[in-house]
Amino acid sequence: PHEYASGVRLMALSKKRKELSCAELQHGKEEADRGPTVLTGGAYVGLTSTQVARGAMLSREVSKELAREIARRCR
């Protein structure tokens, strides 16, 4: 949960998406898709509700970006 809340990995996936292979894009999308579930699963001791909400929102946004990149390049 703390990894998703920090957003570092998700931001890296977002910024590097044009350089990633199709397999890496798919793996990154799956990871981003797990974010909201992980964060709302109640295992986020030490995180504020704002951090949880922002992490979930970023996960959804990155998932959409990666899905667009997959649709554009990986057929």
Side-chain angles (χ1 to χ4, degrees):
H2 292 274
E3 299 258 339
Y4 286 105
S6 76
V8 173
R9 188 165 170 82
L10 293 168
M11 289 302 297
L13 287 167
S14 176
K15 297 295 180 195
K16 296 289 187 176
R17 71 182 179 272
K18 292 181 181 177
E19 300 170 26
L20 299 175
S21 69
C22 290
E24 291 168 329
L25 285 167
Q26 187 60 45
H27 179 77
K29 183 179 179 327
E30 290 167 3
E31 186 174 325
D33 288 344
R34 286 190 298 271
T37 302
V38 168
L39 286 165
T40 58
Y44 51 85
V45 175
L47 299 174
T48 67
S49 59
T50 302
Q51 288 173 309
V52 170
R54 285 183 184 161
M57 182 178 69
L58 179 60
S59 290
R60 286 188 290 273
E61 287 176 16
V62 170
S63 176
K64 288 177 187 175
E65 289 176 4
L66 295 178
R68 283 192 297 268
E69 191 70 21
I70 290 168
R72 188 175 73 79
R73 286 198 290 135
C74 306
R75 303 195 193 248

